[in-house]
Amino acid sequence: QVQLVESGGGSVQAGGSLRLSCAYTARTYCMGWFRQAPEKEREGVAIRDSDGSTTYADSVKGRFTISKDNAKNTLYLQMNSLKPEDTGMYYCAAGYRCSYGTNAYNYWGQGTQVTVSS
């Protein structure tokens, strides 16, 4: 069983930055960040596999960076140039294959709220 605990969410103005953290208890092949806005489906934001390869949703390319510190057992999401449409609950996910589909992930954190005001 893998436990994931997110932190780092908050409220910022458009153009600001936040760094999300996800502490995990065991390694898996793939980890990623997802987000869910009110009344919308959960969507993938950034994915990182165990080889260090990363992919990003088109909406966040060039603004968000996913990274991992194995010594600290922590996954990060650096979010810059935030926009109001980035608002939502952000979830950390872990699994054994990489996909932007939520079904690919076996473990989920409880989420951390990000609110971006214009």
Side-chain angles (χ1 to χ4, degrees):
Q1 188 77 5
V2 178
Q3 294 184 330
L4 307 171
V5 179
E6 302 99 333
S7 60
S11 297
V12 296
Q13 291 191 328
S17 297
L18 283 173
R19 188 176 78 159
L20 306 183
S21 298
C22 172
Y24 56 87
T25 56
R27 297 181 189 180
T28 57
Y29 175 71
C30 195
M31 294 191 74
W33 289 97
F34 288 72
R35 67 186 180 190
Q36 188 166 17
E39 301 182 356
K40 291 190 175 181
E41 292 187 356
R42 193 171 298 189
E43 62 175 358
V45 173
I47 293 171
R48 186 189 185 281
D49 69 21
S50 60
D51 296 326
S53 296
T54 59
T55 61
Y56 298 90
D58 288 343
S59 59
V60 307
K61 280 180 182 176
R63 300 188 298 122
F64 290 12
T65 303
I66 187 172
S67 62
K68 192 178 179 190
D69 186 333
N70 287 328
K72 295 183 178 180
N73 279 11
T74 303
L75 182 76
Y76 300 101
L77 185 68
Q78 178 67 43
M79 305 187 295
N80 298 329
S81 302
L82 282 161
K83 303 176 181 180
E85 51 263 45
D86 294 319
T87 294
M89 186 70 78
Y90 281 69
Y91 297 91
C92 176
Y96 301 99
R97 64 183 181 92
C98 283
S99 169
Y100 278 99
T102 56
N103 290 339
Y105 296 87
N106 306 79
Y107 310 103
W108 292 86
Q110 82 289 349
T112 185
Q113 178 68 35
V114 171
T115 303
V116 184
S117 58
S118 57

